[in-house]
C-alpha cells in the first residue's frame, strides 16, 4: 500500500514514462517469445502465434489509449532486434500499432465487456478484434516488405496469410487470458480445486502424448478443451487452449509427431488452422457457458426475491385486523 501511495505521489509525466516503458518491455518480451518459435514458409520466416498483438489489445482494453506509445516503442524494439531496420520498419511499426488501436475502438463501439461473460463479447473479440483489425498489421507489414524488395512477389499470399493468422491467433488466445488474470481472485478451497488439479495433470500428460504421436491424433485435444470450458469457463478453456497451441507449435518446429513428413507450407497451414480453431472453440464455448450460468443465476435470484415478497405479503395479510363488520355471526 505504501508503494502504491508513493507512486501516486510521483509527477504525472514520470508515471506515464514508466508505464510506457513497462508496456514496451512487455510487448518486446511477448514478441521475443513469438519469435522463438518461428517456422519457415515458402522461403520466409513466420510466427504461428504472435502474442504481442494480444498483449497490446488487452492493455488498451484495460488501461486505455495512454498505452499507445508503449505499444509503438515495443514494436520498434522488436523490429530493431531482427537486424538493421530500413525504411520499411516505419510502416511495420505503424501497422502493428494501429491494428490494436482499431481493435480497441471497434470493441468499444459495440459495448464490449472485459469479463467476456456474453457470447456477443466473444464474437466481437474474434471477428472485430482479431480477424478484422489484424488485416491492418498483416497488410501493412507485407506491403512494406514487398515495396522494399525484401519479399518476393510470389511469396506474397502465403506470407500475408501466415502473418494475419498469427496476429489474429495472438488476440484470440492471449487477450482473454490477460483479461482473466487482471481480475482473477483465488476462490476458497473446495472440491473444484481437486478437479482443477486433476484436469491440469491430465492435460499436461496427455497433450504431449497426442502431439508427439506418429499417428495424427490432434482431434483428441478437443475433449480436454471441452471439459475445461464446461467446468471452469474462461479460467479453464483459455489456458488449456494456449497450452495445447504452444505444445503443437513446439512439436511442429521440431518436425515431429503429426507434423512430421510434411512440407513447410503444409506444416504452417495445419498448425495455424489447428491453433485458430482451438482458440475459437475455447473462447466461444466458454462465453456461451458463462452467459448461460449468468442467466440461470439471475433467474434464481429473481425467483428468490419473488418468494420473499410473497412471504412478506402473506405475513402482512395475516397480521392485519379484521375489517369493520367482519367476523362470525
Amino acid at each position: 500500500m505504501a508503494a502504491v501511495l508513493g507512486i501516486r505521489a510521483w509527477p504525472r509525466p514520470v508515471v506515464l514514462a514508466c508505464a510506457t516503458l513497462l508496456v514496451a518491455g512487455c510487448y518486446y518480451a511477448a514478441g521475443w517469445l513469438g519469435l522463438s518459435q518461428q517456422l519457415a514458409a515458402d522461403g520466409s520466416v513466420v510466427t504461428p502465434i504472435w502474442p504481442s498483438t494480444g498483449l497490446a489489445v488487452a492493455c488498451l482494453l484495460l488501461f486505455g489509449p495512454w498505452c499507445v506509445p508503449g505499444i509503438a516503442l515495443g514494436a520498434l524494439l522488436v523490429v530493431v532486434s531482427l537486424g538493421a531496420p530500413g525504411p520499411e520498419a516505419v510502416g511495420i511499426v505503424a501497422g502493428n500499432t494501429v491494428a490494436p488501436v482499431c481493435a480497441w475502438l471497434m470493441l468499444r463501439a459495440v459495448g464490449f465487456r472485459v469479463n467476456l461473460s456474453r457470447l456477443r463479447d466473444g464474437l466481437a473479440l474474434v471477428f472485430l478484434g482479431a480477424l478484422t483489425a489484424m488485416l491492418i498489421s498483416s497488410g501493412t507489414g507485407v506491403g512494406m516488405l514487398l515495396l522494399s524488395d525484401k519479399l518476393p512477389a510470389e511469396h506474397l499470399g502465403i506470407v500475408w496469410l501466415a502473418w494475419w493468422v498469427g496476429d489474429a491467433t495472438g488476440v484470440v488466445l492471449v487477450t482473454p487470458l490477460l483479461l482473466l488474470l487482471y481480475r482473477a481472485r483465488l476462490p476458497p478451497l473446495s472440491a473444484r480445486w481437486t478437479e482443477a488439479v486433476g484436469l491440469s495433470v491430465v492435460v499436461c500428460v496427455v497433450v504431449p502424448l497426442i502431439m508427439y504421436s506418429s499417428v495424427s491424433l490432434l482431434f483428441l485435444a478437443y475433449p480436454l478443451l471441452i471439459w475445461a470450458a464446461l467446468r471452469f469457463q474462461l479460467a479453464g478453456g483459455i489456458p488449456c487452449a494456449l497450452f495445447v497451441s504452444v505444445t503443437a507449435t513446439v512439436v511442429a518446429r521440431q518436425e515431429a509427431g503429426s507434423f512430421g513428413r510434411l512440407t513447410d507450407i503444409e506444416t504452417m497451414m495445419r498448425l495455424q488452422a489447428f491453433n485458430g480453431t482451438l482458440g475459437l472453440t475455447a473462447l466461444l464455448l466458454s462465453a456461451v457457458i458463462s452467459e448461460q450460468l449468468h442467466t440461470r443465476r439471475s433467474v434464481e435470484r429473481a425467483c428468490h426475491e419473488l418468494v420473499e415478497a410473497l412471504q412478506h405479503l402473506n405475513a402482512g395479510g395475516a397480521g392485519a385486523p379484521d375489517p369493520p363488520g367482519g367476523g362470525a355471526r
Side-chain angles (χ1 to χ4, degrees), residues 233-316:
Q233 293 78 59
L234 280 174
I238 292 299
C240 180
L242 185 60
F243 177 77
V244 175
S245 297
V246 171
T247 305
T249 302
V250 172
V251 174
R253 192 164 181 265
Q254 297 173 353
E255 299 181 356
S258 301
F259 300 95
R261 301 182 301 276
L262 298 177
T263 65
D264 292 341
I265 297 297
E266 291 172 342
T267 298
M268 189 271 293
M269 296 294 290
R270 175 179 290 190
L271 176 63
Q272 291 200 314
F274 177 70
N275 288 343
T277 55
L278 201 71
L280 182 67
T281 302
L283 180 58
L284 296 186
L285 181 59
S286 299
V288 167
I289 296 170
S290 297
E291 187 174 43
Q292 290 180 343
L293 290 175
H294 178 73
T295 301
R296 188 181 72 180
R297 293 190 189 102
S298 298
V299 172
E300 290 176 349
R301 184 165 55 249
C303 292
H304 181 69
E305 292 174 354
L306 180 60
V307 169
E308 289 184 344
L310 291 174
Q311 290 176 346
H312 179 73
L313 290 174
N314 291 334

Side-chain angles (χ1 to χ4, degrees), residues 31-311:
W32 180 82
L33 289 175
L35 292 172
S36 67
Q37 298 300 322
Q38 296 176 344
L39 291 177
D42 209 6
S44 301
V45 175
V46 297
T47 52
I49 304 174
W50 188 242
S52 296
T53 55
L55 173 71
V57 174
C59 287
L60 289 166
L61 289 171
L62 293 173
F63 307 115
W66 67 262
C67 299
V68 173
I71 295 171
L73 179 58
L76 178 61
L77 292 175
V78 172
V79 173
V80 171
S81 69
L82 296 177
E88 74 281 354
V90 177
I92 295 175
V93 170
N96 287 347
T97 304
V98 172
V101 172
C102 288
W104 170 62
L105 291 175
M106 287 189 290
L107 291 174
R108 282 189 61 189
V110 297
F112 178 81
R113 295 180 184 175
V114 296
N115 58 8
L116 289 166
S117 60
R118 304 174 299 175
L119 176 59
R120 59 177 294 184
D121 298 323
L123 292 173
L125 185 62
V126 170
F127 291 101
L128 295 179
L131 298 181
T132 301
M134 295 308 120
L135 290 171
I136 299 173
S137 58
S138 58
T140 303
V142 171
M144 295 305 297
L145 292 177
L146 185 64
L147 291 175
S148 61
D149 294 328
K150 292 189 175 181
L151 177 66
E154 60 270 18
H155 297 171
L156 175 63
I158 192 66
V159 174
W160 171 81
L161 180 62
W163 195 318
W164 177 54
V165 175
D167 283 2
T169 304
V171 175
V172 171
L173 289 176
V174 177
T175 298
L177 180 64
L178 295 178
L179 296 178
L180 178 69
L181 291 176
Y182 181 77
R183 58 185 180 87
R185 301 292 184 274
L186 286 177
L189 292 177
S190 64
R192 298 200 69 189
W193 273 98
T194 304
E195 183 180 2
V197 173
L199 173 61
S200 301
V201 172
V202 170
V203 169
C204 291
V205 172
V206 173
V207 168
L209 295 177
I210 292 173
M211 296 303 164
Y212 282 102
S213 173
S214 58
V215 181
S216 182
L217 299 175
L218 296 179
F219 63 92
L220 292 180
Y222 286 94
L224 298 175
L225 180 65
I226 293 171
W227 176 16
L230 284 174
R231 296 297 297 158
F232 302 100
Q233 293 78 59
L234 280 174
I238 292 299
C240 180
L242 185 60
F243 177 77
V244 175
S245 297
V246 171
T247 305
T249 302
V250 172
V251 174
R253 192 164 181 265
Q254 297 173 353
E255 299 181 356
S258 301
F259 300 95
R261 301 182 301 276
L262 298 177
T263 65
D264 292 341
I265 297 297
E266 291 172 342
T267 298
M268 189 271 293
M269 296 294 290
R270 175 179 290 190
L271 176 63
Q272 291 200 314
F274 177 70
N275 288 343
T277 55
L278 201 71
L280 182 67
T281 302
L283 180 58
L284 296 186
L285 181 59
S286 299
V288 167
I289 296 170
S290 297
E291 187 174 43
Q292 290 180 343
L293 290 175
H294 178 73
T295 301
R296 188 181 72 180
R297 293 190 189 102
S298 298
V299 172
E300 290 176 349
R301 184 165 55 249
C303 292
H304 181 69
E305 292 174 354
L306 180 60
V307 169
E308 289 184 344
L310 291 174
Q311 290 176 346

